[in-house]
Amino acid sequence: MKCLKINNATEAPSDKEMKSIESVIVCYSFAGELPAWIGQLSSLKELLLRGCNELTSIPDTLAGLTSLEKMDLSFSSIKSLPPSIGQLSSLKELSLSACWRLTGIPGTLTGLKSLEKMHLSSSSISSLPPSIGQLSSLKELLLRDCKKVTSIPDTLAGLTSLEKMDLSRSSIASLPPSIGQLSSLKELSLRRCEKLTSIPNTLAGLTSLEK
């Protein structure tokens, strides 16, 4: 795997080099916007931007990353995700943990048909789009410490592959009855959900639940 480390002095690689790059690591000290040419890295499998405190957005050219499997934006200052993120059909893992300036995720996430893990813990999102129910490959959904999340959409029933959901220390006030249709769910964490006063009887449908 050819890895490229990006800082503010990094110049665009040649056309030949672009085709061989599979991993990009953006340095913590990076400031400003990511270069648009990142969208031309057709072989890129891994984009790591963890801890980029000065990074507030990512380019719409992201749609060109047709081979991307993992994107880590955790602990960055990202404010929003471009709608084109829904075109990352190979993406398996998306981490947005501790993105304290991120208040929402686009409904275009429906295009992430390969997504297996979505980590949103300690972010500032206030809700999940109803379209999240179309992520049929999703196995892990983490919303731990999401203080602004008070509910989850009823479309959750569409997450037929979901095995782990962590809502602990969130502001969740209720669970939709459709949660009982998550037949693959093995682990459900509701620790210290102080606003949650009851759970639906439909939980009896969670035949695979272990924890």
Side-chain angles (χ1 to χ4, degrees):
M1 178 185 290
K2 185 172 181 180
C3 180
L4 175 66
K5 292 186 178 180
I6 294 179
N7 56 40
N8 285 97
T10 303
E11 296 183 357
S14 66
D15 290 344
K16 183 179 180 180
E17 289 174 327
M18 280 190 180
K19 293 178 182 179
S20 64
I21 294 172
E22 295 186 0
S23 178
V24 165
I25 300 173
V26 181
C27 297
Y28 296 145
S29 59
F30 183 87
E33 297 182 356
L34 288 177
W37 52 258
I38 278 187
Q40 299 176 44
L41 304 178
S42 57
S43 297
L44 192 68
K45 293 183 178 180
E46 192 174 72
L47 179 58
L48 308 179
L49 302 117
R50 185 181 180 91
C52 292
N53 292 322
E54 300 298 321
L55 185 70
T56 58
S57 65
I58 49 179
D60 204 48
T61 54
L62 202 71
L65 304 179
T66 53
S67 299
L68 193 67
E69 296 180 356
K70 178 180 180 179
M71 182 162 59
D72 188 351
L73 292 161
S74 53
F75 294 93
S76 71
S77 295
I78 199 86
K79 293 180 180 178
S80 62
L81 297 172
S84 61
I85 193 173
Q87 297 179 46
L88 302 178
S89 57
S90 298
L91 195 67
K92 294 181 179 179
E93 185 174 341
L94 175 61
S95 182
L96 297 161
S97 297
C99 289
W100 62 278
R101 299 182 76 174
L102 183 70
T103 57
I105 51 179
T108 54
L109 250 64
T110 54
L112 304 180
K113 300 301 183 184
S114 300
L115 195 66
E116 296 179 356
K117 296 181 180 181
M118 183 157 62
H119 297 175
L120 298 164
S121 296
S122 299
S123 68
S124 293
I125 65 164
S126 57
S127 63
L128 294 172
S131 57
I132 194 173
Q134 296 182 43
L135 300 179
S136 57
S137 297
L138 196 66
K139 294 181 178 179
E140 193 170 281
L141 178 60
L142 306 186
L143 292 154
R144 184 175 59 250
D145 282 308
C146 287
K147 304 298 185 184
K148 295 183 180 180
V149 173
T150 59
S151 64
I152 48 179
D154 200 51
T155 53
L156 200 72
L159 303 180
T160 52
S161 299
L162 195 66
E163 296 180 355
K164 178 179 180 179
M165 182 163 59
D166 189 350
L167 296 166
S168 56
R169 294 194 297 273
S170 70
S171 295
I172 199 87
S174 63
L175 296 172
S178 62
I179 194 173
Q181 297 178 46
L182 301 178
S183 57
S184 298
L185 196 65
K186 295 180 179 179
E187 185 175 345
L188 174 63
S189 182
L190 297 164
R191 295 186 185 92
R192 296 183 67 182
C193 289
E194 296 175 357
K195 294 186 178 181
L196 183 67
T197 57
S198 63
I199 53 176
N201 294 331
T202 54
L203 246 66
L206 303 180
T207 53
S208 298
L209 198 64
E210 297 175 356
K211 295 181 181 180

